[in-house]
Amino acid sequence: YLKFTYRGFRSFASFVDDVKMEGNFDRSVVSMRDINYFAKALDIVEHNDIKINGQITGTISNLRGRDLELKAGNQTSFTGKFNLIGLPNIKETFISFNCESLKTNYNDLMKITPGIPYPENLASLGQINFNGHFDGFINNFVTYGMMKTSIGTITTDINLELLSTADKAAYSGALSMDNFDLGQFTGDEKNLGRVSLAGTLKGTGFD
């Protein structure tokens, strides 16, 4: 079920902040287009239908999810819990994910959230399987956990800032790789191959 709590119909004029939602979902499908009808400014994601199990509570601007299983796109799924503060402006929303499992890929990310400047070499990772924590904004965040990809495994404790283009991205933190194909990821397979390493990094650009 999905229940709305509000003081009066005037609350719908400020749906994002004034209407509280309580949802207990069991194999449900939520249309973001329907949510955007009330919330507005969710245009970037309104084309998505989300398959959902679990509990979601709060307002659009301060949303919490617990015991969740979400599916979107063709190969994207999430199991865990989250807090989102700042919607509907996705670029100014603070995101806190505790991921038991997050699976996605570059093509799905581009379809689910078009307009976000994901570095193109993320496509080389193939299907991504992540478990850990993600805290921050969609273009400036800290991620801690293990990511298994089609070209190797990465364990991270990294701050990543995605700016307007890939060559301006900034990153710092700790990183370890296990049999990771650095050549394929960087596009320099002539000089680089698979690596296993652990260390710290700080730099800019993915080109």
Side-chain angles (χ1 to χ4, degrees), residues 22-42:
E22 179 182 342
N24 194 340
F25 300 98
D26 182 13
R27 292 174 293 180
S28 302
V29 178
V30 175
S31 169
M32 295 305 297
R33 191 178 305 276
D34 291 342
I35 299 296
N36 193 38
Y37 177 81
F38 296 103
K40 307 304 180 183
L42 289 176

Side-chain angles (χ1 to χ4, degrees), residues 1-126:
Y1 67 85
L2 177 61
K3 180 174 72 174
F4 295 111
T5 303
Y6 48 92
R7 295 179 179 178
F9 284 108
R10 289 185 178 181
S11 297
F12 282 87
S14 302
F15 184 91
V16 168
D17 299 308
D18 293 344
V19 177
K20 294 181 179 180
M21 297 182 294
E22 179 182 342
N24 194 340
F25 300 98
D26 182 13
R27 292 174 293 180
S28 302
V29 178
V30 175
S31 169
M32 295 305 297
R33 191 178 305 276
D34 291 342
I35 299 296
N36 193 38
Y37 177 81
F38 296 103
K40 307 304 180 183
L42 289 176
D43 295 353
I44 191 174
V45 294
E46 76 161 4
H47 58 286
N48 293 294
D49 291 329
I50 311 295
K51 297 178 181 178
I52 179 171
N53 291 305
Q55 300 174 353
I56 293 180
T57 59
T59 62
I60 292 291
S61 61
N62 189 357
L63 200 60
R64 298 175 298 281
R66 298 293 183 268
D67 301 319
L68 287 174
E69 297 177 4
L70 307 176
K71 293 183 179 180
N74 294 320
Q75 293 179 302
T76 296
S77 64
F78 169 82
T79 302
K81 61 182 180 180
F82 70 76
N83 290 293
L84 301 173
I85 301 173
L87 287 174
N89 190 336
I90 188 64
K91 293 183 180 180
E92 295 183 6
T93 295
F94 182 82
I95 303 167
S96 179
F97 277 147
N98 186 341
C99 303
E100 296 177 17
S101 174
L102 173 63
K103 300 178 181 180
T104 192
N105 56 53
Y106 178 78
N107 288 335
D108 257 16
L109 288 173
M110 293 295 291
K111 291 177 181 177
I112 294 169
T113 54
I116 301 297
Y118 298 108
E120 291 184 4
N121 57 347
L122 287 183
S124 67
L125 299 177

